Amino acid sequence: MVTGINSRSPNAQHDNGKESNHIPPAFADDSIYQSHHHIGGMKRRHCGKNIGIAPVDRVENRHTEESVEEYILAIKFDYAIGARHNASAYTLLPTQGRPGLTRKFINTYLMDNGTAFTDKPGWQEMQFIEETDGRDPRLAQSIRTPGYTRIGQTEVEGPMFETTVTGYQPVKFVQDPTSNSNNNDRVDSSDCDMPVYRFGEVLLIYAEAKAELGTLTQDDLTISINKLRDRVGMPPLDMAKANAKPDWYLSSEEYGYPNVTGANAGVILEIRRERTIELLQEGHRFEDLVRWKAGTCIDQAITGMYFPGPGEYDLTGDGKADLILYAKGSAKPSADEGVYVYELGTDIFLSEDTKGYMAFHKDVERTKFNEGRDYLYPIPSGERSLNKNLTQNPGWNDGLDF
């Protein structure tokens, strides 16, 4: 089956913080995707830092140690005492699940002038260099974009196709490779603190609650959503404009939330956009989809970068090939050291075979989200055995006959 996640931490594979055997197989997440699981453990403690919105230079440090001034509750890690996690290795080693953000999610990042990327002509077949140009700065804080360098390093690095199945390689929580006595990139060897609850989420909760209650005003956006946008240099969200013309992509059945209706539909969709981008990989996505009754998002397409066919592709912006794709059955081209050379249909799979979006599991039948069952977890059979007055949640069969 196709397995996808948007994890509470980079090494806990489902949004509810439980191991994968506690999650129904239908929950192939729609914004971050991987090929298999790697589970790790964490400890929690309060973080006694000042609370506020981290300025833009903090955000650009990709949520490592220097962004904790915004944390309200965090998980404290320290390499020296053995309190470590897997954030860096999770995205850097091919044995850790090969996670990648989906094309559907990448499309939701606005242009840096506040307009929708999906309103641009040709957005569907736009290639990596062009699609990442002029976007919300948080895109470059989410994935490797052209010109990407590791924290503390100067070498420009492109996406690592052996470690990401979509091409959109996550960078959030990835530390300086020299951290922890140069051991940071090894399995379970990272130690930046992990947010459980931070002030940015408080602002998002406030805006969403007011919008859903029908009491949201532009002043409310000024003290919430627009604080988040302002710190990365994005234009403010205008409530009247958003409601006058709700974003077609976010309201579509193919890509978004078609059940959002009413006078505040446009601004609710924009708040959801903001929440999904701002809280990427912080463990909220599944609970958000449940709260919004948007489980069908899980069934939407899971694809990656677009490639128009065999050829050479520059992904770092230096004018040189970083990836060469060649037709199935043809001779393998020669290439410089460090260039990926992949045979279509063997080493890399595209949605239309010889062209299209990266589609790692395109021929695998996915388990569909069950609207009548999957918003609730099954009650553990042990609990039901102890209390026979407990009835099982709809759609779940635990083999007990009471």
Side-chain angles (χ1 to χ4, degrees), residues 48-83:
K49 299 290 183 179
N50 294 328
I51 305 304
I53 289 292
V56 66
D57 63 315
R58 304 296 194 193
V59 179
E60 288 174 347
N61 274 324
R62 303 181 183 101
H63 287 264
T64 57
E65 296 94 330
E66 298 181 16
S67 66
V68 296
E69 67 179 46
E70 188 183 330
Y71 293 179
I72 296 171
L73 177 66
I75 305 166
K76 176 64 177 175
F77 291 93
D78 188 333
Y79 182 87
I81 64 173

Side-chain angles (χ1 to χ4, degrees), residues 5 24 30 85 116 147 156 167 200 236 335 343 348 402:
I5 51 86
D30 61 309
H85 58 73
V156 173
E343 182 179 26
I348 191 170
F402 54 83

Side-chain angles (χ1 to χ4, degrees), residues 379-393 398 400-402:
I379 297 173
S381 57
E383 297 299 320
R384 292 231 299 134
S385 296
L386 290 172
N387 182 357
K388 295 184 179 181
N389 291 319
L390 289 176
T391 57
Q392 187 54 271
N393 283 328
D398 57 12
L400 301 179
D401 58 2
F402 54 83

